[in-house]
Amino acid sequence: MPVRDDLALLEQAAQEAGEIALRFWRKSPQAWDKGGGAGPVTEADLAVNAHLERLLRGARPDYGWLSEESPDDPARLQARHCFIIDPIDGTRAFIDGQVGFSHSLAIASGHQVVAGVVHLPAQRTTYAAMADGPALRDGKPIAPSGLGLGDARVLTSKASLAPAYWRGKAAPFKHSFRPSLAWRLCLVAEGQFDATLSTRPAWEWDVAAGSLIAARAGCLASDLSGEAMRFNAPKPLTDGLMVAAPALHAQMLAAMTPRMMMPGGRVDAPPPAD
């Protein structure tokens, strides 16, 4: 199946997911905690997930399926292609009626993402990319900024600012936050911010689509060791996250404490829920 056809399928699915989500948004949807530190889920998450699974698996029955809101099926590991889906990324923001939630839809071929879409229905904005094409926002090409570390605006949580992570004992940049991790990667891809960083692990469904979009825009998307991320893994967690234009990416890696010196060493615990 051509990747272009897969991307068109993801774009259709993302638009339909947005229509479903907006039926619940700011209308007090039922919400509950999943337990075990997994965070909240709403009836909207489940409705979107059910629709996406019907649509996408119906169109590509031989593709594997990895979604935040579906039980993990090990059969995905044997599939040549796999959907990697977050029905609503930024569920807390969705519950609070904020506009910063998204749908993150990707397809991996082997361990590499080859098509990705991040759609923000409340903002009517769609980012998309495929492995051999440009990164687009609403159909127009995007590119990252060229700022260096001293001027960089980095999207990250306060946890990443801890002195133990930085050689100079202080993060050498200005920081901001946005609720959807997938959206953060896209904001870096289009140059609204200069980098995004997570010193905690990230679920594949949060970053698969956005990492491809950022890479096709001209960024480097890596784990905290600077290694390329691999997707559709048995344990679908990345070892931290760093996304920035190449020069800034190198500067940030150089400014960070070596991995074995960081709190907890390698990333092996589940990330905090969104």
Side-chain angles (χ1 to χ4, degrees), residues 24-273:
F24 295 91
W25 184 56
R26 294 181 174 174
K27 295 179 181 177
S28 302
Q30 293 183 21
W32 56 95
D33 193 274
K34 290 187 281 190
V41 66
T42 73
E43 57 183 326
D45 293 81
L46 301 186
V48 169
N49 189 64
H51 178 78
L52 290 176
E53 186 163 12
R54 284 193 301 270
L55 173 63
L56 296 175
R57 302 195 83 176
R60 305 286 190 271
D62 56 330
Y63 284 23
W65 182 260
L66 175 63
S67 168
E68 180 176 12
E69 307 305 344
S70 299
D72 194 4
D73 182 357
R76 67 179 171 83
L77 301 174
Q78 307 305 319
R80 182 177 178 184
H81 298 88
C82 184
F83 291 109
I84 304 177
I85 305 295
D86 193 342
I88 296 181
D89 183 35
T91 298
R92 294 186 192 278
F94 180 85
I95 294 170
D96 291 342
Q98 300 176 27
V99 301
F101 67 93
S102 71
H103 309 295
S104 177
L105 287 66
I107 294 173
S109 176
H111 295 293
Q112 305 299 317
V113 179
V114 295
V117 172
V118 175
H119 178 55
L120 290 96
Q123 302 186 48
R124 298 184 178 181
T125 298
T126 303
Y127 302 88
M130 54 186 178
D132 60 352
L136 305 173
R137 173 181 170 167
D138 297 331
K140 298 180 180 179
I142 55 177
S145 75
L147 294 183
L149 187 59
D151 299 314
R153 305 152 299 159
V154 178
L155 289 166
T156 191
S157 68
K158 290 182 179 179
S160 298
L161 306 179
Y165 291 116
W166 302 99
R167 294 179 185 272
K169 305 303 180 184
F173 50 72
K174 310 176 194 70
H175 79 280
S176 297
F177 185 77
R178 293 294 183 273
S180 162
L181 184 50
W183 184 29
R184 288 179 229 167
L185 272 66
C186 295
L187 289 169
V188 174
E190 67 176 332
Q192 288 200 40
F193 289 84
D194 308 300
T196 188
L197 170 71
S198 176
T199 53
R200 294 170 171 170
W203 293 110
E204 287 188 16
W205 47 73
D206 289 329
V207 301
S211 67
L212 176 66
I213 293 165
R216 297 308 303 167
C219 296
L220 288 180
S222 76
D223 65 19
L224 286 186
S225 297
E227 299 294 328
M229 292 179 287
R230 290 167 60 85
F231 293 93
N232 196 25
K235 186 175 183 179
L237 286 168
T238 69
D239 190 13
L241 175 74
M242 182 181 293
V243 178
L248 178 56
H249 189 278
Q251 292 169 357
M252 290 180 65
L253 278 178
M256 295 193 77
T257 304
R259 293 292 284 124
M260 291 300 103
M261 299 294 292
M262 291 182 179
R266 292 186 60 82
V267 174
D268 57 11

